[in-house]
Amino acid sequence: DGEEGYPGQLTVQVTYTLHDTNQLQIDYAAQTDKPTVVNLTDHTTWNLMGAPAPSADPANRPPHSLCLDHIVQLFADRYTPVDDTAIPLGELAPVEGTPFDFRNPTAIGARIHEPHEQLLRGQGYDHNWCLNKSQPGALDLAAVVRIPGNCAPVLRIYTTEPGVQLYTGNFLDGGVGKGGHAMPRRSGFCLETQHFPDAIHHEGDGDWPSVVLRPQQKFTS
């Protein structure tokens, strides 16, 4: 109670299930004894190119490849523009006609260097997309990611959440990642299913699903 200023004793359970069909399922559950803010997500960093081949010389391991060739499709007509501190401005802006339109499959790197104000603020993509939900809480397809090649793997993200954050590794700095290989800038991406960031300051706005969890309620995702 009171950790980081949040009221209530929050109990959280996260269950990871790996299915035989190459599906990773993440189930979240949370309960509280006082009204509090809950917005849980997963920060897995993906690169479908895989790790570089092992090197006999650990000191000369090649760095990971970049994620800019990954082809992304997001099922969202709107996104939440941010200010200079990455806090949403309160607008749900249309993606049409902007570098944020991934409704058709598009490479991450196709427009990431355009002089768009939002790309400059995020130093790339680090924004929340407002998913086109069939109904609130439905398990819907949020994103599809693939890499060029006939036999390349495909990543499909399903979620009950109303939003997804695409982050393109803008602040990776060469630290050591999987297999001891360096992770340079934009060597991975994240797709973080979530409620919209800063939704607590838009409580009561029908376009912003609530992030308030109350006693006797159970958060599930």
Side-chain angles (χ1 to χ4, degrees), residues 74-81 88 90-95 100 103 127-134 141-142 159 161-166 192 194-197 207-209:
L74 299 176
F75 298 91
D77 295 333
R78 299 181 296 175
Y79 78 108
T80 51
E91 174 190 7
L92 306 186
V95 299
F100 293 82
R103 292 175 296 179
H127 295 74
N128 170 75
W129 272 255
C130 310
L131 295 171
N132 302 332
K133 301 295 292 183
S134 60
L141 182 62
T159 185
E161 291 295 298
V164 63
Q165 186 97 1
L166 171 62
E192 302 163 352
Q194 60 186 8
H195 276 54
F196 305 163
D207 287 333
W208 292 70

Side-chain angles (χ1 to χ4, degrees), residues 44-136:
T44 297
T45 301
W46 300 92
N47 187 320
L48 302 185
M49 300 287 189
S55 171
D57 181 2
N60 290 304
R61 288 178 175 144
H64 278 272
S65 59
L66 303 187
C67 68
L68 299 181
D69 289 336
H70 286 60
I71 299 167
V72 174
Q73 184 175 17
L74 299 176
F75 298 91
D77 295 333
R78 299 181 296 175
Y79 78 108
T80 51
V82 298
D83 64 18
D84 290 334
T85 64
I87 300 299
L89 296 169
E91 174 190 7
L92 306 186
V95 299
E96 186 171 359
T98 77
F100 293 82
D101 190 349
F102 284 91
R103 292 175 296 179
N104 293 313
T106 305
I108 289 174
R111 300 165 300 192
I112 199 170
H113 298 296
E114 290 187 9
H116 188 281
E117 181 181 25
Q118 286 297 310
L119 290 174
L120 296 175
R121 287 181 176 177
Q123 299 187 41
Y125 295 107
D126 191 7
H127 295 74
N128 170 75
W129 272 255
C130 310
L131 295 171
N132 302 332
K133 301 295 292 183
S134 60
Q135 62 182 24

Side-chain angles (χ1 to χ4, degrees), residues 2-221:
E3 182 179 357
E4 297 184 352
Y6 293 99
Q9 180 173 324
L10 183 69
T11 302
V12 177
Q13 180 178 346
V14 183
T15 304
Y16 295 83
T17 306
L18 186 61
H19 297 273
D20 293 336
T21 52
N22 286 332
Q23 297 179 46
L24 173 62
Q25 179 177 331
I26 307 176
D27 292 288
Y28 306 87
Q31 291 181 290
T32 181
D33 61 0
K34 294 180 182 178
T36 193
V37 176
V38 176
N39 193 6
L40 305 177
T41 191
D42 172 71
H43 193 64
T44 297
T45 301
W46 300 92
N47 187 320
L48 302 185
M49 300 287 189
S55 171
D57 181 2
N60 290 304
R61 288 178 175 144
H64 278 272
S65 59
L66 303 187
C67 68
L68 299 181
D69 289 336
H70 286 60
I71 299 167
V72 174
Q73 184 175 17
L74 299 176
F75 298 91
D77 295 333
R78 299 181 296 175
Y79 78 108
T80 51
V82 298
D83 64 18
D84 290 334
T85 64
I87 300 299
L89 296 169
E91 174 190 7
L92 306 186
V95 299
E96 186 171 359
T98 77
F100 293 82
D101 190 349
F102 284 91
R103 292 175 296 179
N104 293 313
T106 305
I108 289 174
R111 300 165 300 192
I112 199 170
H113 298 296
E114 290 187 9
H116 188 281
E117 181 181 25
Q118 286 297 310
L119 290 174
L120 296 175
R121 287 181 176 177
Q123 299 187 41
Y125 295 107
D126 191 7
H127 295 74
N128 170 75
W129 272 255
C130 310
L131 295 171
N132 302 332
K133 301 295 292 183
S134 60
Q135 62 182 24
L139 182 64
D140 291 327
L141 182 62
V144 178
V145 185
R146 52 174 47 90
I147 55 176
N150 294 330
C151 299
V154 177
L155 174 66
R156 294 182 178 89
I157 304 287
Y158 291 82
T159 185
T160 57
E161 291 295 298
V164 63
Q165 186 97 1
L166 171 62
Y167 169 62
T168 50
N170 311 316
F171 301 103
L172 294 175
D173 59 3
V176 175
K178 184 176 180 180
H181 297 277
M183 296 285 292
R185 185 172 189 240
R186 295 182 177 153
S187 57
F189 67 94
C190 302
L191 284 166
E192 302 163 352
T193 58
Q194 60 186 8
H195 276 54
F196 305 163
D198 200 42
I200 188 61
H201 292 120
H202 302 276
E203 191 72 12
D205 185 333
D207 287 333
W208 292 70
S210 176
V211 289
V212 175
L213 181 67
R214 303 183 185 281
Q216 311 309 318
Q217 294 179 332
K218 185 176 183 180
F219 170 88
T220 58
S221 176

